[in-house]
Amino acid sequence: MAASGAVEPGRPAATAAPSAAPAQAPAPERLFRPISAEDEEQQPTEIESLCMNCYRNGMTRLLLTKIPFFREVIVSSFSCEHCGWNNTEIQSAGRIQDQGVRYTLTVGAQEDMNRQVVKTDSATTRIPELDFEIPAFSQKGALTTVEGLISRAISGLEQDQPARRANEEPVAERIDEFIVKLKELKQVASPFTLIIDDPSGNSFVENPHAPQKDHALIIMRYNRTLQQEEMLGLQAEAAPEEKPEEEDLRNEVLQFNTNCPECNAPAQTNMKLVQIPHFKEVIIMATNCENCGHRTNEVKSGGAIEPLGTRISFHITDPSDLTRDVLKSETCSVEIPELEFELGMAVLGGKFTTLEGLLKDIQELVTKNPFTLGDSSNPGQMEKLQEFSQKLDQILQGNMKAHFIMNDPAGNSYLQNVYAPEDDPQMKVEHYKRTFDQNEELGLNDMKTEGYETGPAPQR
């Protein structure tokens, strides 16, 4: 398949024949290697397969790899040397995410057509301006670009046009007119909107402006509906049974079995309730995998969403300021105006660490982004990343003053006040009323807490 990622719809995928070319499999502990052009041991597995176009034998190549800061994926490619037919697709090898994701991209320039896109089988693609939709599970997954998605749709519509012209000429004419509109989109004569909605949460759209915020791209994570759970083959969890007495879990460390997010081996997660002074209770969860050594921790608020959102502005003036404790919830965004940097909601997840630890996590996330490194990056973007990393190092070393802003619409984030209970002269805490869009992201607009009874209460 070309760079556009065009796969002809309607053709069944190639099926593997019993015979297979010899290939050396990687060690089990490194089955999914990080994608790298310098890894000479990372070679695809070749399998002789039946071509469903000419029914002669072709070759299927499978590559099990891991995209840094994203997911494990299986890239497969089939080619037939007899008829020239080829087919490529990508499948997620990781688990289905806890939430679905919706990417809304406003394409306004030719550069936007070159954004890299990971589209899974379960993703729905829409272009509202043309009232055009590609339903979920109608195409195979693909690692392509925005232009590739449109080219793939054009190829699918053009495939059966000869038969339509012979049997249903009016329908064929209308489809020809629609194909012309799709081809005009590739020229970006006028801005249009591309929406990728994936209930599995495994799709991805590149942000070429990292570490700055991408104003053309809106990322929204949401809880799946019952229909989406059934579509993905998941069962809704049964409601927990009510206990006659509430147990005091503050002094206990709870343990439950889970799977390692790196190697998928059985692991154990520890969970404990912790009371943060002058704040509230939080839940700290930590997972340690004995198989691969991977460690992860996550923090969630143990209380409800606050009536008002919280904005914390802190002025970093001394290296000792970096030792302050920080609780960043999943709904909290972070800004550093001096670096023109903004970290969106849900990125990095919930964390309970120090200010220095959070800044180092941000530096690692930005500087090791695979889409801004290597041959695919441009010099201007590399210079911006190097400048950003140098300024962040100056802040970590105490050589540069900066403002650190935490904005949490749910009001569940915290920055330590070393002068408590007195006011901190370097910190400003503001409480504000949430906007409609912020309530929508938190799922509060559809939540009814008053007058939800089916009928009036009986009179006494």
Side-chain angles (χ1 to χ4, degrees), residues 370 372-378 382:
T372 58
L373 301 174
D375 298 335
S376 62
S377 62
N378 57 68
M382 287 293 296

Side-chain angles (χ1 to χ4, degrees), residues 42-216:
Q42 187 181 38
Q43 298 295 332
T45 302
E46 296 186 349
I47 305 174
E48 191 174 356
S49 309
L50 178 66
C51 176
M52 302 307 294
N53 186 47
C54 68
Y55 299 100
R56 302 174 72 176
N57 282 345
M59 188 63 67
T60 295
R61 294 174 176 84
L62 297 176
L63 180 63
L64 280 65
T65 186
K66 178 181 178 182
I67 299 178
F69 305 100
F70 188 53
R71 310 274 187 270
E72 295 93 349
V73 296
I74 302 175
V75 182
S76 62
S77 172
F78 174 81
S79 60
C80 178
E81 61 181 5
H82 305 290
C83 66
W85 188 66
N86 57 68
N87 178 16
T88 65
E89 63 183 71
I90 184 173
Q91 294 180 352
S92 174
R95 64 181 180 87
I96 295 176
Q97 302 305 305
D98 297 333
Q99 291 182 310
V101 64
R102 182 183 299 113
Y103 292 90
T104 303
L105 174 64
T106 301
V107 181
Q110 194 66 40
E111 291 77 11
D112 294 328
M113 302 294 290
N114 298 326
R115 290 180 185 240
Q116 300 192 48
V117 176
V118 176
K119 176 186 173 297
T120 64
D121 300 2
S122 59
T124 300
T125 305
R126 292 194 295 270
I127 302 178
E129 287 80 0
L130 299 184
D131 197 17
F132 176 68
E133 177 176 322
I134 303 176
F137 298 105
S138 61
Q139 291 182 346
K140 295 293 184 180
L143 173 59
T144 178
T145 61
V146 174
E147 183 180 4
L149 288 177
I150 299 176
S151 299
R152 190 179 187 186
I154 294 173
S155 299
L157 293 173
E158 288 178 340
Q159 181 180 358
D160 297 328
Q161 279 297 83
R164 293 192 190 99
R165 293 189 182 95
N167 302 323
E168 300 177 278
E169 187 174 352
V171 175
E173 291 178 356
R174 290 197 295 269
I175 292 179
D176 283 335
E177 294 175 358
F178 191 82
I179 290 175
V180 171
K181 294 180 180 179
L182 286 176
K183 291 181 177 180
E184 290 176 354
L185 290 183
K186 296 171 65 175
Q187 307 302 322
V188 199
S190 60
F192 66 93
T193 305
L194 176 68
I195 301 175
I196 298 180
D197 191 338
D198 187 2
S200 73
N202 285 326
S203 292
F204 176 78
V205 177
E206 177 191 6
N207 173 12
H209 306 294
Q212 280 78 27
K213 181 179 179 181
D214 190 347
H215 297 285

Side-chain angles (χ1 to χ4, degrees), residues 202-403:
N202 285 326
S203 292
F204 176 78
V205 177
E206 177 191 6
N207 173 12
H209 306 294
Q212 280 78 27
K213 181 179 179 181
D214 190 347
H215 297 285
L217 181 63
I218 300 175
I219 305 174
M220 179 180 177
R221 290 172 173 81
Y222 59 88
N223 295 324
R224 286 184 287 268
T225 63
L226 181 59
Q227 291 78 6
Q228 290 172 330
E229 295 271 359
E230 294 175 353
M231 180 182 68
L232 296 173
L234 303 176
Q235 295 182 357
E237 296 182 359
E241 298 180 358
E242 295 184 359
K243 296 182 180 181
E245 296 180 357
E246 292 186 359
E247 298 181 5
D248 188 6
L249 305 178
R250 292 173 178 80
N251 298 323
E252 296 185 18
V253 177
L254 303 181
Q255 295 181 339
F256 55 92
N257 297 326
T258 183
N259 289 338
C260 174
E262 286 292 322
C263 67
N264 207 34
Q268 202 168 54
T269 296
N270 298 329
M271 181 177 71
K272 191 178 189 304
L273 283 170
V274 177
Q275 175 68 44
I276 298 180
H278 307 287
F279 191 53
K280 60 174 69 174
E281 283 185 342
V282 296
I283 302 173
I284 299 180
M285 294 185 293
T287 302
N288 184 12
C289 179
E290 297 179 357
N291 183 50
C292 67
H294 176 74
R295 296 182 178 182
T296 181
N297 63 78
E298 188 175 2
V299 179
K300 294 184 179 293
S301 173
I305 295 177
E306 296 295 322
L308 299 175
T310 302
R311 178 184 173 92
I312 303 174
S313 302
F314 179 64
H315 190 199
I316 303 174
T317 58
D318 190 81
S320 61
D321 295 335
L322 301 177
T323 61
R324 298 195 182 205
D325 292 335
V326 174
L327 171 63
K328 176 194 171 298
S329 72
E330 294 180 333
T331 57
C332 178
S333 62
V334 175
E335 297 179 41
I336 305 177
E338 286 78 4
L339 304 185
E340 298 182 357
F341 173 79
E342 180 175 347
L343 184 72
M345 293 171 53
V347 182
L348 290 178
K351 281 188 173 294
F352 183 44
T353 177
T354 61
L355 185 54
E356 180 182 13
L358 184 57
L359 291 177
K360 287 184 177 180
D361 288 340
I362 292 173
Q363 186 178 40
E364 182 178 3
L365 177 70
V366 172
T367 57
K368 293 186 178 180
N369 190 323
F371 292 106
T372 58
L373 301 174
D375 298 335
S376 62
S377 62
N378 57 68
Q381 195 172 34
M382 287 293 296
E383 292 177 359
K384 290 181 180 179
L385 284 175
Q386 292 176 358
E387 182 181 358
F388 173 83
S389 181
Q390 291 172 359
K391 289 183 177 179
L392 196 54
D393 283 333
Q394 292 179 8
I395 296 176
L396 291 170
Q397 296 169 6
N399 298 328
M400 178 179 175
K401 298 181 180 180
H403 290 82

Side-chain angles (χ1 to χ4, degrees), residues 4-60:
S4 62
V7 178
E8 297 183 14
R11 295 189 186 273
T15 57
S19 61
Q24 184 177 1
E29 62 271 9
R30 296 195 65 189
L31 187 61
F32 290 88
R33 294 174 178 268
I35 188 169
S36 173
E38 300 177 356
D39 189 356
E40 297 180 356
E41 297 181 5
Q42 187 181 38
Q43 298 295 332
T45 302
E46 296 186 349
I47 305 174
E48 191 174 356
S49 309
L50 178 66
C51 176
M52 302 307 294
N53 186 47
C54 68
Y55 299 100
R56 302 174 72 176
N57 282 345
M59 188 63 67
T60 295

